[in-house]
């Protein structure tokens, strides 16, 4: 960007982990005149904020996507304006359940300059506290506007070729003292989206599911509203899905629900053995629900007739209800392709030069956010070591990735570790960002050290088939530079020994090492 095309004000949408590192990266440039971080919750923390009471359980809407279930609000014609509080569901509560822990080793998950309080897989309150304190640590808490929802982002066209587009953002802030919503607008030179994608739950369409839900209200739920196995005591439960949440929920329910707990799986997960654990029975995917008699028929022709609760652990769909698609040239997310509608390196938008996004790819979470945030901060401050390639090259990157994912049967925004794609992607962001200035402005992307690589490839949250549990004192996992300890732990893994606190070591990388994210 030339000096005529300067960016001096940046809005960050979201104050979770992605927003925290983005604010820190922008501030480190010592270049921007105005940085604001807008967060709809009462505190920073994003998806790690714990809502102990997830009520009300929202209606399960099979097959319906965020544009239908989370539509934009009607904005007052004249702003600023004060209105009665919004009553439309905005999916602000988080999916955190009581026992949730992280599932990426802390050294590979946390930001490079501050470690988690402890690890390797701390409980959910640790990353939540970490995100909030990270704002204070970098004195970026002054940028925060809490209880503030971004309701509209509209692109303002430049008046000449020497100018960049700007953005008009419409905000709604709940004022608890007056019990009103306050609406207003602000204009920014650039916007970085850090709003996460674990808000709007998704339940796939299944034959008969909709009338089944109508016939048996409350029987079908999404895991977003699960907190503990206790409400399911003595009940017969069917869990749909075997990702990380499906695994955790199924395992927990064994302690309270009537055994066996049934788990419907499309395929075998990395941590599944040849036989289900005690108290669990595996079933194939559901083919049909029969509301007339309440039976559930599976793909293999078997059925269950006396299920009390069905819990869908089928994930979430990205939602950008604030994106003004009609003005901005089209939607931001392609739901048919399950990807950003147009993107380069999962971070930049070829059609919108002053728009960026942090946190979409499924990879190292916090640590990968850091590379994205720094690259965007360097680019927007006109200090990137390497400019983005021509638009034709960016389009070619996207087309080639789409073709590759179609050939492999993988998701566009999944970046696997074992194939080298994660390192290649981080390396591209590293190359764009480059070094800071001689006077110290700007963060430098962190190195991918031997310690980080070792943790990714050897430390597991879940025991794997053929790997034992129990063993040494369970105090390891945080000594980044202790080569002797790592060698001892690797030897222990080879002998089938694990950790007393539940996580295990493996002696060699396995396929899809980040599949649990």
């Amino acid at each position: 960007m030339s000096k005529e095309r300067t960016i001096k004000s940046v809005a960050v949408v979201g104050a979770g982990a992605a927003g925290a590192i983005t604010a820190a990266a922008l501030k480190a440039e010592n270049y921007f005149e105005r940085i604001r971080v807008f967060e709809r919750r009462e505190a920073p923390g994003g998806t790690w904020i714990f809502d102990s009471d997830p009520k009300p359980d929202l209606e399960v809407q099979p097959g319906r996507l965020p544009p239908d279930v989370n539509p934009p609000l009607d904005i007052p014609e004249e702003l600023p304006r004060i209105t009665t509080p919004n009553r439309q569901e905005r999916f602000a509560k988080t999916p955190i359940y009581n026992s949730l822990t992280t599932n990426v080793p802390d050294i590979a998950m946390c930001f490079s300059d501050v470690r988690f309080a402890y690890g390797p897989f701390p409980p959910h309150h640790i990353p939540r506290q970490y995100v909030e304190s990270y704002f204070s640590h970098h004195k970026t808490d002054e940028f925060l506007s809490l209880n503030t929802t971004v309701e509209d982002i509209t692109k303002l066209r430049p008046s000449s070729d020497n100018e960049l587009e700007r953005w008009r953002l419409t905000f709604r802030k709940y004022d608890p003292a007056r019990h009103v919503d306050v609406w207003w607008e602000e204009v920014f030179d650039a916007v970085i989206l850090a709003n996460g994608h674990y808000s709007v739950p998704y339940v796939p369409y299944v034959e008969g599911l909709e009338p089944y839900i109508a016939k048996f209200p409350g029987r079908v739920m999404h895991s977003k509203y699960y907190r503990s196995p206790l409400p399911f005591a003595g009940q017969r439960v069917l869990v749909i899905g075997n990702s990380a949440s499906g695994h955790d929920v199924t395992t927990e329910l064994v302690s309270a629900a009537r055994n066996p707990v049934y788990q419907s799986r499309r395929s075998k997960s990395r941590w599944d053995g040849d036989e289900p654990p005690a108290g669990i029975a595996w079933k194939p995917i559901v083919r049909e629900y029969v509301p007339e008699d309440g039976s559930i028929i599976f793909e293999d022709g078997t059925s269950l007739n006396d299920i009390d609760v069905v819990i869908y652990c089928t994930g979430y769909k990205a939602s950008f209800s604030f994106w003004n698609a009609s003005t901005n040239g089209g939607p931001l997310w392609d739901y048919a392709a399950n990807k950003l509608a147009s993107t380069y390196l999962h971070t930049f938008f070829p059609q919108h030069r002053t728009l960026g996004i942090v946190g979409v790819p499924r990879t190292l979470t916090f640590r990968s956010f850091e590379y994205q945030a720094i690259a965007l901060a360097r680019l927007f401050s006109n200090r990137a070591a390497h400019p983005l390639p021509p638009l034709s090259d960016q389009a070619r990157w996207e087309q080639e990735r789409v073709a590759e994912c179609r050939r492999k049967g993988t998701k566009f925004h999944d970046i696997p570790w074992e194939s080298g794609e994660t390192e290649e992607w981080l390396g591209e962001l590293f190359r764009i960002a480059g070094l800071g200035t001689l006077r110290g402005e700007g963060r430098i992307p962190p190195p991918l050290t031997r310690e980080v690589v070792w943790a990714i490839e050897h430390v597991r949250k879940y025991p794997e088939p053929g790997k034992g549990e129990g063993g040494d004192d369970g105090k390891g996992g945080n000594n980044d530079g202790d080569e002797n300890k790592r060698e001892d732990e690797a030897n222990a893994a080879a002998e089938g020994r694990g950790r007393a606190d539940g996580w295990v070591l493996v002696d060699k990388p396995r396929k899809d090492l980040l599949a649990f994210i």
Side-chain angles (χ1 to χ4, degrees):
M1 296 180 187
S2 70
K3 291 186 183 260
E4 295 175 87
R5 298 170 177 251
T6 56
I7 294 172
K8 286 297 185 178
S9 59
V10 185
V12 180
V13 181
I21 190 60
T22 299
L26 292 170
K27 181 180 180 181
E29 293 297 326
N30 193 27
Y31 174 87
F32 303 102
E33 296 172 356
R34 184 163 61 110
I35 303 168
R36 299 285 301 281
V37 181
F38 299 96
E39 169 55 50
R40 63 181 178 174
R41 294 297 301 260
E42 66 283 356
T47 195
W48 293 100
I49 293 175
F50 177 54
D51 294 306
S52 58
D53 182 2
K55 300 294 182 181
D57 288 347
L58 300 179
E59 177 187 358
V60 175
Q61 303 182 61
R64 298 188 68 187
L65 299 171
D68 298 319
V69 300
N70 188 32
L73 297 187
D74 292 329
I75 297 174
E77 292 184 3
E78 295 183 3
L79 299 175
R81 183 101 177 253
I82 295 176
T83 66
T84 56
N86 167 63
R87 299 301 181 191
Q88 179 179 315
E89 175 58 41
R90 303 304 279 160
F91 297 92
K93 288 191 174 183
T94 70
I96 302 296
Y97 41 94
N98 294 5
S99 63
L100 182 68
T101 68
T102 64
N103 53 17
V104 176
D106 66 313
I107 185 177
M109 179 173 173
C110 63
F111 302 132
S112 61
D113 56 342
V114 181
R115 289 288 292 271
F116 284 173
Y118 58 87
F121 304 110
H124 57 77
H125 69 270
I126 296 297
R128 185 253 184 268
Q129 293 169 353
Y130 177 88
V131 171
E132 185 168 19
S133 64
Y134 200 80
F135 277 97
S136 302
H137 179 80
H138 286 282
K139 297 182 174 60
T140 53
D141 47 353
E142 63 182 355
F143 303 154
L144 286 167
S145 179
L146 302 174
N147 292 310
T148 303
T149 303
V150 179
E151 296 293 2
D152 182 83
I153 297 179
T154 295
K155 186 175 183 177
L156 303 177
R157 306 293 175 180
S159 58
S160 72
D161 292 340
N162 288 329
E163 295 181 1
L164 292 170
E165 72 268 12
R166 304 181 77 202
W167 302 88
R168 183 178 66 236
L169 277 66
T170 303
F171 304 102
R172 178 179 58 85
K173 183 183 181 75
Y174 175 65
D175 182 347
R178 294 182 289 170
H179 303 289
V180 296
D181 281 346
V182 180
W183 294 76
W184 77 99
E185 294 177 337
E186 294 184 35
V187 174
F188 290 86
D189 296 331
V191 175
I192 297 177
L193 306 178
N195 57 302
H197 46 95
Y198 294 113
S199 296
V200 181
Y202 178 71
V203 172
Y205 172 83
V206 181
E207 183 70 29
L209 179 55
E210 210 155 0
Y212 184 92
I213 292 170
K215 178 74 174 291
F216 304 103
R219 182 176 291 190
V220 180
M221 62 177 285
H222 190 277
S223 61
K224 177 171 183 175
Y225 307 105
Y226 172 89
R227 291 297 179 269
S228 159
L230 297 180
F232 306 96
Q235 296 184 333
R236 293 178 67 86
V237 181
L238 169 64
V239 177
I240 309 293
N242 67 332
S243 62
S245 60
H247 174 85
D248 286 352
V249 169
T250 304
T251 302
E252 281 198 350
L253 285 169
V254 171
S255 66
R258 182 178 173 184
N259 287 186
V261 175
Y262 295 97
Q263 183 183 26
S264 170
R265 312 178 308 157
R266 182 175 296 277
S267 58
K268 183 177 180 180
S269 75
R270 181 169 57 83
W271 46 77
D272 287 339
D274 295 330
E275 299 293 334
I280 296 173
W282 288 336
K283 302 292 289 183
I285 63 174
V286 176
R287 187 179 74 200
E288 181 184 1
Y289 289 85
V290 183
E292 289 75 15
D293 61 6
S295 62
I296 301 172
I297 303 174
F298 296 90
E299 194 177 44
D300 62 355
T302 61
S303 64
L304 294 173
N305 302 298
D306 52 357
I307 291 296
D308 298 305
V309 181
V310 179
I311 304 177
Y312 269 86
C313 300
T314 45
Y316 303 81
K317 292 292 184 181
S319 180
F320 302 94
S321 59
F322 48 70
W323 182 254
N324 194 326
S326 60
T327 302
N328 298 340
L332 199 65
W333 190 268
D334 182 344
Y335 288 98
N338 195 28
K339 62 179 284 295
L340 289 166
S342 177
T343 180
Y344 177 62
L345 295 178
H346 315 276
T347 306
F348 311 100
F349 293 92
Q351 297 176 355
H352 311 289
R353 295 183 58 193
T354 56
L355 179 71
I357 191 165
V358 175
V360 169
R362 191 194 68 154
T363 183
L364 299 178
T365 64
F366 290 25
R367 183 61 63 92
S368 60
F369 302 168
E370 186 170 357
Y371 290 84
Q372 291 182 285
I374 295 172
L376 284 166
R378 303 297 290 165
L379 186 70
F380 288 172
S381 65
N382 206 26
R383 292 169 174 161
H386 295 276
L388 297 185
L391 294 180
S392 58
D393 291 352
Q394 295 182 42
R396 186 180 306 111
W397 175 87
E398 183 176 34
Q399 293 163 3
E400 290 175 351
R401 180 155 185 84
V402 167
E404 180 185 22
C405 291
R406 186 178 294 117
R407 185 176 67 253
K408 294 181 178 178
T410 56
K411 297 178 181 179
F412 184 90
H413 294 295
D414 283 3
I415 306 179
W417 174 268
E418 74 286 348
S419 65
E421 287 184 45
T422 302
E423 187 168 350
E424 180 181 350
W425 176 61
L426 297 179
E428 280 297 307
L429 295 172
F430 192 108
R431 188 183 69 85
I432 291 168
L435 302 178
T437 69
L438 178 63
R439 291 181 176 268
E441 288 99 352
R443 288 178 69 123
I444 300 173
L448 195 61
T449 64
R450 288 187 304 165
E451 290 79 16
V452 171
V453 172
W454 184 89
I456 294 169
E457 295 183 348
H458 293 83
V459 182
R460 300 284 185 276
K461 173 181 175 179
Y462 300 113
E464 297 180 14
K467 304 296 178 184
E469 291 185 279
D472 57 15
D473 62 9
K475 296 178 182 177
N478 288 314
N479 298 324
D480 305 350
D482 191 342
E483 294 290 334
N484 291 331
K485 183 176 182 62
R486 289 203 304 276
E487 183 176 350
D488 291 341
E489 289 175 333
N491 290 336
E495 296 166 9
R497 291 187 281 122
R499 309 291 303 192
D501 52 2
W503 57 276
V504 298
L505 291 149
V506 298
D507 59 341
K508 60 182 179 180
R510 293 177 61 89
K511 185 177 180 181
D512 198 7
L513 298 177
L514 301 178
F516 45 78
I517 298 175

